Amino acid sequence: MRRIRKEQVAESRELIVTTARKLFSENTYESVNVRRLADAMGRTTGVIFAHFETKEDLWRAVMHSEPPVDSPLTRHAPELERALRQLVRLQAIDDASPEAWRRGWADGERALRRLDDEAGRMTPSASPAPAPAPPSTSGRRPTR
C-alpha cells in the first residue's frame, strides 16, 4: 500500500513539473501562476502546494528536470552542438577569416531557426521574445 502511495506522489510531482515546463516555455515566468497551472493540469492548487512551497521552488524543479526525450531541443541538439563547436574552434584560431566567422554564425542561426520553427516560436535573429525572468529571492508564495 505504501509503495502505491509513493508512486502516486512521484507521478503527481512529475505531472506538475511537466505541465509547468510547458507553461513556462510558452509564457513568461511572471504570467504563469499556480491557478493557471492547476487549471492546465485539471487539479487543485493544493496539489501543487503539497509539492512546492513557492513558485521559485517549482521553477527550480523545472530547470533541473530532463526535457522530454522527443522534444525539439533533443532532436536538434547534435546540430546545435556542431555549430557551437565550430564557433569555439574559430575563436581559438587567431587568424580565422571573416568568411569563416560568417559561415559559423550562419550555421548556428540556421540550427536555431529550425529548432524555433519546430517549437513554434520566433527565431532569435528575428525579434526575440523576452526570456523568462529568473525567480526572485523574496520567498513569497506563488500568486493564486
Side-chain angles (χ1 to χ4, degrees):
M1 191 76 152
R2 190 163 254 205
R3 189 185 73 169
I4 292 172
R5 174 74 178 133
K6 285 182 181 180
E7 289 172 3
Q8 289 171 337
V9 169
E11 287 172 7
S12 179
R13 181 181 172 89
E14 182 59 31
L15 175 64
I16 294 167
V17 170
T18 301
T19 307
R21 179 189 303 111
K22 183 177 185 316
L23 289 177
F24 283 134
S25 71
E26 295 170 350
N27 305 280
T28 64
Y29 175 83
E30 291 82 16
S31 69
V32 176
N33 60 36
V34 175
R35 167 61 47 212
R36 187 173 180 184
L37 176 59
D39 290 346
M41 292 174 25
R43 304 278 170 88
T44 65
T45 58
V47 171
I48 298 166
F49 286 118
H51 293 275
F52 301 99
E53 190 173 318
T54 65
K55 183 176 169 181
E56 290 84 6
D57 292 339
L58 176 57
W59 171 265
R60 284 186 197 95
V62 168
M63 293 296 105
H64 288 99
S65 66
E66 294 292 321
V69 173
D70 189 33
S71 74
L73 181 59
T74 55
R75 282 193 295 278
H76 293 282
E79 184 179 9
L80 292 167
E81 183 180 3
R82 275 192 304 277
L84 181 59
R85 285 183 186 279
Q86 180 180 359
L87 291 172
V88 168
R89 277 193 303 273
L90 288 172
Q91 185 178 12
I93 302 171
D94 288 336
D95 61 348
S97 71
E99 180 57 32
W101 279 103
R102 278 194 289 277
R103 277 194 315 270
W105 281 113
D107 289 349
E109 284 185 341
R110 273 193 301 278
L112 287 173
R113 204 169 294 118
R114 280 192 287 276
L115 173 64
D116 288 340
D117 289 346
E118 188 172 334
R121 298 192 193 118
M122 295 183 336
T123 62
S125 58
S127 184
S136 68
T137 56
S138 65
R140 296 186 318 219
R141 289 188 70 95
T143 309
R144 292 181 183 225

